[in-house]
Amino acid sequence: EKQEEERMRRLKQENAAATIIQSSFRGYQHFVRYLMEQYFVMKIQTYVRGYQARCRLKRLERENRDKMIKKSQRLSDAMTRVSRFSSVFMKKNSTPAARDVSFSSLYFSSNQKNHILTKRELQERREKKAALVIERFFIKIRAEIELEIARLEQKEREKLMSKRK
């Protein structure tokens, strides 16, 4: 009878140990599955955000190109007006001082003359803007990842605390 009780007690202990091992393993499997899902979700988000950024960049480039076309059209119109004005002005005042007047000084103020950019300067500005957009994007992603890691660590701590109780 004592042996039977000892055997029953031992079977209960083994059964309890097997249950704990199985539940721990299942928990581990769920945790690994969760991490894999999180990884793939982040991958998908990365691709989507990259696609959206490329679309936004194309749209901005198109808008800037349209602005530049309009600006060059205005410049062309202004130069036409200036050349008409200057030909009339030169006929009336054909003195050497009158000939020294530059076309751009007739239409543009001194501040505007300094702001006419070369293609290279425009490209550098675009590259700087694009670099800032990309940098801001990665700063946001880093913050999201750090928040997610902190949340997962907090969850793990809570699990450990609940298991200790």
Side-chain angles (χ1 to χ4, degrees):
E1 192 172 298
K2 229 178 189 188
Q3 285 180 341
E4 186 65 29
E5 284 179 21
E6 182 65 29
R7 191 172 145 286
M8 289 302 283
R9 190 180 59 77
R10 185 172 170 91
L11 278 175
K12 285 182 182 179
Q13 282 180 338
E14 287 176 1
N15 196 6
T19 304
I20 290 171
I21 291 170
Q22 288 172 354
S23 66
S24 297
F25 183 72
R26 286 188 192 117
Y28 170 76
Q29 282 181 322
H30 288 292
F31 179 69
V32 168
R33 191 175 303 131
Y34 171 77
L35 287 179
M36 296 285 285
E37 288 172 1
Q38 286 296 312
Y39 173 77
F40 287 113
V41 165
M42 284 181 14
K43 276 288 198 193
I44 291 169
Q45 287 175 343
T46 301
Y47 290 127
V48 169
R49 287 182 180 138
Y51 173 77
Q52 289 173 337
R54 284 188 296 278
C55 289
R56 195 176 315 118
L57 181 64
K58 283 180 186 176
R59 189 185 74 236
L60 289 173
E61 286 175 346
R62 208 174 316 121
E63 289 172 1
N64 285 339
R65 188 173 47 240
D66 292 345
K67 285 179 187 176
M68 293 303 293
I69 289 170
K70 287 177 184 176
K71 188 176 181 179
S72 66
Q73 184 63 41
R74 284 195 305 268
L75 178 62
S76 174
D77 294 345
M79 294 306 284
T80 305
R81 285 194 302 269
V82 167
S83 65
R84 286 183 194 149
F85 172 76
S86 66
S87 64
V88 170
F89 184 74
M90 291 296 202
K91 286 177 187 174
K92 289 182 182 176
N93 306 321
S94 60
T95 63
R99 289 186 201 112
D100 289 342
V101 175
S102 70
F103 293 144
S104 61
S105 65
L106 293 172
Y107 184 73
F108 297 110
S109 69
S110 61
N111 290 340
Q112 286 174 322
K113 278 188 252 178
N114 295 335
H115 288 336
I116 297 173
L117 301 174
T118 64
K119 285 183 179 180
R120 183 176 177 200
E121 290 170 328
L122 285 172
Q123 183 63 28
E124 287 175 356
R125 281 189 178 183
R126 284 188 203 120
E127 289 173 359
K128 284 180 183 177
K129 285 181 183 178
L132 286 172
V133 168
I134 292 169
E135 184 180 2
R136 286 187 208 116
F137 170 76
F138 280 110
I139 288 170
K140 287 180 183 177
I141 293 297
R142 181 179 172 198
E144 287 180 21
I145 290 171
E146 288 174 352
L147 279 172
E148 186 64 24
I149 289 171
R151 190 177 67 76
L152 289 173
E153 288 174 349
Q154 180 64 29
K155 231 180 196 179
E156 281 298 314
R157 277 189 239 117
E158 289 172 1
K159 279 184 183 179
L160 289 174
M161 294 300 269
S162 66
K163 283 183 181 179
R164 288 180 185 166
K165 291 179 181 179

